[in-house]
Amino acid sequence: MISTHVLDIARGVPASGVAVMLEANDGAGWRTIGRRTTDDHGRIGSFADAPLAAGTYRLTFDTGAYHQRHDILPFFPDVAVTFDVRVQGHHHVPLLLSPYGYSTYRGT
């Protein structure tokens, strides 16, 4: 399972309403696994009901639309985070966001 949450560190609040797409690289290119939107707490609990196989995945966050809703002209219109899943289980990939920067890490 892959989950995420987005924290708007410039405003000091969870980033609700951020569209996020999860894709898997199947060797022939990227295949969409799921699309979700962060809830009021900035969280997405899961993108797929079934366990995900080992492989390379990418989360793409629509940060531009989020910032525009808050009257901010974004420098990064989207953020793509690519990572490898080597063992099945829960993989949490948070995003710390501001208009001119972002950070991510493997969470728990």
Side-chain angles (χ1 to χ4, degrees):
M1 176 175 68
I2 295 173
S3 63
T4 189
H5 73 271
V6 183
L7 299 174
D8 183 334
I9 60 174
R11 296 176 56 229
V13 298
S16 62
V18 177
V20 184
M21 177 175 56
L22 174 65
E23 299 169 286
N25 191 323
D26 61 10
W30 292 101
R31 174 179 50 87
T32 300
I33 302 294
R35 297 174 191 267
R36 303 283 187 271
T37 302
T38 58
D39 64 16
D40 290 343
H41 303 285
R43 295 186 175 275
I44 297 173
S46 179
F47 287 86
D49 295 330
L52 298 174
T56 302
Y57 291 88
R58 178 170 63 193
L59 285 170
T60 303
F61 300 82
D62 186 357
T63 55
Y66 170 78
H67 284 305
Q68 289 173 354
R69 280 195 308 278
H70 296 285
D71 297 322
I72 297 169
L73 183 61
F75 186 72
F76 298 103
D78 61 57
V79 172
V81 179
T82 304
F83 54 96
D84 286 328
V85 170
R86 305 226 187 265
V87 296
Q88 286 188 347
H90 184 188
H91 300 276
H92 187 66
V93 184
L95 181 70
L96 305 177
L97 180 63
S98 77
Y100 299 101
Y102 60 89
S103 179
T104 188
Y105 57 95
R106 181 175 178 186
T108 56

